Amino acid sequence: MLRTLLLTAGVGICAFIVCFGVLWALTPIPGTTQELATAQGSVIYYRDGKTVLARQGVNRKIVPLSRVPHVVRNAVIAAENRTFYQDQGISLSGMARSVWSTLTGRQLQGGSTITQQMVRNYYSGLSQERSISRKLKEIMIALKVDRSKSKDWILEQYLNTIYYGRGAYGIQAASEAYFAKDVKDLTPAEAAYLAAVIQQPSRFANPTGTDLEAAKARWRAVVNGMVEIGALTREEADRLTFPTLAKRKPSLSLGGQDGYMLALVRSELNRHGYTDEDIDRGNLKIITTFDKRLMRLAREAVEEVLPENTPKKVRTGLAAVDPATGEVVAFYGGRYESYQYDNAFSAKVQAGSTFKPYALAAALEEGYGLATWVNGNSPLRIGSDRIPNAGGKSYGMINLIEATRLSVNTAFVELGRMVGLDKVAAVAEAVGIPAEQLAAQRPYPTFPLGTASVSAVQQAAGYATFAAEGVYHAPHVVRSVVDANGVTRTFSSPGRQVLRKETAADVTYALEQVINSGTGTAARIGRPAAGKTGTTDESAAVWFAGYVPQLSVAVNMFRDDNKPVEIPGYGELYGGTLPAQIWRHFMSAALEGEPVKEFPPPVTWNGHWGSYATTGPREPEATEEPTDAAPTPGAEDRARDAGADRSEPRGETGGDGAGDEGDRPGGEQPAERPGDGRPGEGRPDDGSGDRGPGGRDGGGFDRGDGWPGLDDMEPVPGW
């Protein structure tokens, strides 16, 4: 009997040795790590490079063991594996307990060593399932790792791999999440708490009530364990008090503007070649162009100016661009939780009269000057089309400053015919509006009136070209990216001189008059500023776009259903009302403390003719839009009058511009072009005759581009 038992035991031992040898031979250390084990998420910052905008992906910051204080290391060892530096990577008693729990199906007890936990969470090929085969594989690898790697290496991987709760992976992220400090600054009490958290990270992440009592008990057990391994004396342990946890920071919400900012940043990074995996797991430091203060001011400008009874279907967008760089420093896109399609970048609506400066710039590029005369009578007929000014107002012959200041539709339709719509489109494309957005409207006479659709950021960047003296910078939202190796890649938008400086200066001068005494007086901010109102037919979209030398901002308001933008008490809106007021609110706050800068003087406007803002006879009253801060009596009646007798499709006329013409500045009749010495030559008496030279080529209206001559542009009786 004894011999049989001994023989059986011997056979069993031999079988065990053979099986162990086979398992040892067949279980190599995996050559790869789990993606999640070493993945470090990216951090996105505001433009200062310090203020965190968002964290993307895994919240982990890998640190070398040398940065982790001994008290922190010892706390973890006391909590998880007190024989760590003495064992061979496994615990026989813990292993037996773990195997028994697996076989019986009971809750798995804490029997794994630090080495086993590290192996399970670090190497590829080891799942989290509870099975004998997985456990044996884990043991084999733990034994091999313990023989081939130093204990310090194992501990370093463990500390950087383990999950601590509060979304924090690794000891550094945990230190910041629980105590808002670097791991090197942790106290013994704080170190003991982080070690205690490892056992139940979800329960101890923000404990209250019974969970808090359990957390304190676990913390005290860890402290006592530190005494047992000699990391603390009993006196030191007794002096420790339960640490105060930092307030748990809520996950960065995708509400408000955050969702839009993240979507814009990710999209731009993708265009630069970064994949979503790079962003989520590449440990990138991404610095955006967004200014946190200006982002707040943009939101406040919209929310504080819009009346409380603004219909929910009315959407508002704002974009602010630095003319010197093209950086989008701020925007308001709506509320991400309501619309994932933002109002500043994604939404494109008819530009209305904010498009007219591009027609003006095209004329100036072709050699016309601000003193050029155009016909401002209403309506203007081209073939079967009938194009009115807002309110049906006629202005007679007016120069380009007057036409811009009062936003006269018929004058800009004539200007487009004089210059050529291809030239107008070329300027719009040069300042960043894609050709495909212009193509559908480009052939029509009303093209200069803003029938093409654009976004707020496109208009802000387009107007920034005027502010930058004709230099265009494409708008962008990422300044730089620092990768995991510390290599910095910067992003900028090279400037291109797309307009002559003289053209930009003249456009700016004309747009200054819009704010000084034209349709945009609600946008006055007490410093030199240039801008343009925009109102499409029946107020389907209303705009104000403008700039100072150091900042360009565009504001739009529209509805998804293309119905008129109406607010009770205001009726149909105009660009010179709420959009201009939002622009003023934002710009005034944004420029607080900033130096007042002057624009360059105009080039083609002779000073002795005077300035619309300061000299000359009484100016025409700009009535395109009311400029009072509050609704004015009769606003709805004026809106109906302005929209009366329209036969064009919505948006075809631009809808801008109304008011009395009045006398020209200084009472002097400007020349057709500065320096030609022929004031008013060829000027028709009744608006129906042939007109003299009007452009660089000295030709008449018929330029051979398929446009009708003036004889085809029928005036209505009474011109």
Side-chain angles (χ1 to χ4, degrees):
M1 184 68 178
L2 180 60
R3 180 180 299 178
T4 302
L5 291 174
L6 290 174
L7 181 61
T8 302
V11 170
I13 292 171
C14 290
F16 175 80
I17 294 173
V18 170
C19 290
F20 184 86
V22 171
L23 286 172
W24 182 270
L26 295 178
T27 311
I29 298 175
T32 58
T33 60
Q34 298 177 30
E35 287 188 9
L36 184 60
T38 56
Q40 298 182 77
S42 298
V43 183
I44 302 174
Y45 296 87
Y46 285 97
R47 66 183 292 110
D48 62 5
K50 300 177 181 178
T51 307
V52 175
L53 190 162
R55 299 183 188 276
Q56 295 284 276
V58 181
N59 181 20
R60 173 186 283 115
K61 297 180 181 179
I62 294 176
V63 293
L65 190 64
S66 59
R67 278 192 56 191
V68 181
H70 283 281
V71 69
V72 177
R73 306 183 208 178
N74 289 329
V76 172
I77 290 171
E80 295 297 313
N81 183 191
R82 296 177 188 176
T83 62
F84 172 69
Y85 277 103
Q86 291 78 42
D87 62 37
Q88 303 301 309
I90 63 172
S91 166
L92 293 178
S93 60
M95 182 176 65
R97 185 170 61 249
S98 181
V99 170
W100 174 254
S101 297
T102 301
L103 289 172
T104 60
R106 297 177 181 176
Q107 179 65 38
L108 188 63
Q109 301 297 308
S112 297
T113 63
I114 284 176
T115 306
Q116 287 176 263
Q117 292 181 60
M118 187 279 292
V119 164
R120 182 166 62 246
N121 293 302
Y122 184 77
Y123 287 112
S124 299
L126 286 173
S127 66
Q128 297 295 323
E129 65 174 324
R130 298 171 185 171
S131 67
I132 292 295
S133 61
R134 196 276 300 167
K135 195 67 180 179
L136 290 174
K137 188 176 182 180
E138 174 190 303
I139 291 169
M140 292 296 107
I141 295 174
L143 287 169
K144 286 191 172 185
V145 168
D146 190 77
R147 288 167 60 89
S148 61
K149 302 288 186 181
S150 71
K151 288 289 188 179
D152 283 352
W153 183 90
I154 294 170
L155 184 60
E156 179 177 308
Q157 310 317 309
Y158 177 80
L159 291 173
N160 283 309
T161 302
I162 204 72
Y163 180 61
Y164 287 85
R166 292 197 176 190
Y169 289 84
I171 191 66
Q172 176 62 36
S175 300
E176 296 176 1
Y178 284 91
F179 300 109
K181 61 174 61 175
D182 191 278
V183 63
K184 64 181 176 59
D185 299 320
L186 290 174
T187 66
E190 293 165 345
Y193 189 81
L194 292 183
V197 162
I198 295 173
Q199 187 183 71
Q200 299 184 72
S202 297
R203 186 183 185 190
F204 295 162
N206 195 39
T208 58
T210 56
D211 288 343
L212 180 58
E213 293 305 314
K216 288 181 177 180
R218 176 62 179 165
W219 173 81
R220 179 53 65 182
V222 173
V223 171
N224 291 335
M226 295 173 72
V227 173
E228 290 181 21
I229 65 173
L232 293 175
T233 65
R234 174 49 60 187
E235 291 75 16
E236 290 172 331
D238 291 341
R239 287 197 297 268
L240 296 183
T241 58
F242 189 77
T244 300
L245 305 185
K247 185 177 180 181
R248 186 173 186 176
K249 293 182 179 179
S251 299
L252 287 170
S253 170
L254 290 182
Q257 305 306 295
D258 292 345
Y260 295 133
M261 284 190 281
L262 296 183
L264 291 167
V265 169
R266 292 184 76 102
S267 177
E268 189 164 305
L269 288 173
N270 290 159
R271 293 196 297 273
H272 285 306
Y274 294 93
T275 65
D276 287 340
E277 184 177 9
D278 294 332
I279 299 170
D280 289 335
R281 299 185 175 186
N283 190 26
L284 305 178
K285 178 181 180 181
I286 302 161
I287 300 177
T288 70
T289 63
F290 303 128
D291 184 292
K292 186 175 183 179
R293 170 178 165 269
L294 296 185
M295 285 294 298
R296 174 179 57 80
L297 293 178
R299 174 180 54 79
E300 290 177 355
V302 173
E303 293 179 351
E304 293 179 13
V305 171
L306 291 183
E308 292 183 0
N309 62 344
T310 300
K312 291 183 178 180
K313 287 187 176 293
V314 173
R315 297 176 60 180
T316 304
L318 181 153
V321 171
D322 183 344
T325 63
E327 294 180 348
V328 181
V329 295
F331 72 95
Y332 178 82
R335 296 196 62 80
Y336 186 80
E337 57 268 33
S338 301
Y339 295 98
Q340 280 71 58
Y341 201 68
D342 76 276
N343 305 338
F345 287 78
S346 302
K348 296 174 178 64
V349 295
Q350 286 185 326
S353 291
T354 59
F355 197 85
K356 289 175 180 174
Y358 305 143
L360 175 61
L364 294 167
E365 287 284 291
E366 287 298 296
Y368 294 92
L370 292 176
T372 297
W373 291 90
V374 285
N375 199 322
N377 281 322
S378 176
L380 178 66
R381 288 178 178 170
I382 301 180
S384 60
D385 290 327
R386 185 170 178 273
I387 302 171
N389 290 324
K393 181 68 177 179
S394 288
Y395 297 85
M397 298 304 297
I398 54 176
N399 60 44
L400 294 183
I401 293 182
E402 189 89 325
T404 303
R405 184 173 75 94
L406 300 176
S407 198
V408 181
N409 288 339
T410 56
F412 275 90
V413 171
E414 181 181 353
L415 185 64
R417 197 207 64 80
M418 291 163 55
V419 176
L421 296 184
D422 57 334
K423 302 290 176 48
V424 177
V427 168
E429 290 178 35
V431 299
I433 300 176
E436 58 269 23
Q437 291 177 217
L438 305 173
Q441 299 296 330
R442 181 171 175 168
Y444 298 103
T446 50
F447 179 59
L449 305 185
T451 54
S453 293
V454 296
S455 68
V457 75
Q458 287 172 342
Q459 285 296 74
Y463 277 48
T465 307
F466 302 136
E469 300 185 22
V471 176
Y472 170 73
H473 295 269
H476 61 286
V477 301
V478 177
R479 302 188 84 186
S480 66
V481 175
V482 182
D483 67 19
N485 297 318
V487 177
T488 301
R489 183 181 175 191
T490 59
F491 301 97
S492 62
S493 174
R496 291 183 288 113
Q497 190 79 45
V498 298
L499 299 174
R500 294 181 299 116
K501 288 185 177 182
E502 296 84 353
T503 295
D506 279 357
V507 170
T508 295
Y509 184 75
L511 296 182
E512 282 187 275
Q513 313 318 313
V514 173
I515 292 178
N516 290 342
S517 60
T519 60
T521 55
R524 292 173 180 166
I525 56 174
R527 65 167 71 202
K532 185 69 189 74
T533 54
T535 308
T536 67
D537 193 41
E538 297 184 13
S539 299
V542 290
W543 289 80
F544 189 86
Y547 54 94
V548 295
Q550 57 266 60
L551 189 62
S552 177
V553 179
V555 178
N556 61 19
M557 294 180 67
F558 59 95
R559 289 173 59 111
D560 286 332
D561 55 13
N562 204 36
K563 291 182 179 180
V565 180
E566 294 181 322
I567 295 177
Y570 285 77
E572 289 186 7
L573 295 183
Y574 297 90
T577 54
L578 292 178
Q581 293 167 27
I582 292 171
W583 185 92
R584 179 184 63 198
H585 190 294
F586 172 77
M587 196 67 102
S588 297
L591 295 174
E592 186 175 347
E594 294 294 321
V596 175
K597 295 185 177 181
E598 301 289 338
F599 290 118
V603 177
T604 66
W605 182 253
N606 287 348
H608 71 275
W609 285 330
S611 165
Y612 282 105
T614 58
T615 64
R618 180 184 64 84
E619 263 72 57
E621 180 183 357
T623 59
E624 177 211 2
E625 303 144 338
T627 57
D628 296 334
T632 55
E636 296 188 35
D637 293 335
R638 284 198 301 277
R640 286 194 296 271
D641 293 339
D645 197 27
R646 287 176 174 152
S647 59
E648 297 74 30
R650 173 172 297 165
E652 284 293 303
T653 67
D656 245 352
D660 298 324
E661 179 187 4
D663 296 330
R664 295 184 179 89
E668 185 172 344
Q669 181 176 299
E672 178 61 28
R673 282 164 48 195
D676 63 7
R678 294 172 294 174
E681 182 178 354
R683 181 181 176 194
D685 295 331
D686 60 359
S688 62
D690 292 334
R691 181 170 178 179
R696 175 174 288 168
D697 61 2
F701 277 173
D702 191 0
R703 298 169 63 99
D705 56 3
W707 279 91
L710 187 59
D711 289 338
D712 299 312
M713 301 171 68
E714 299 180 11
V716 296
W719 267 26

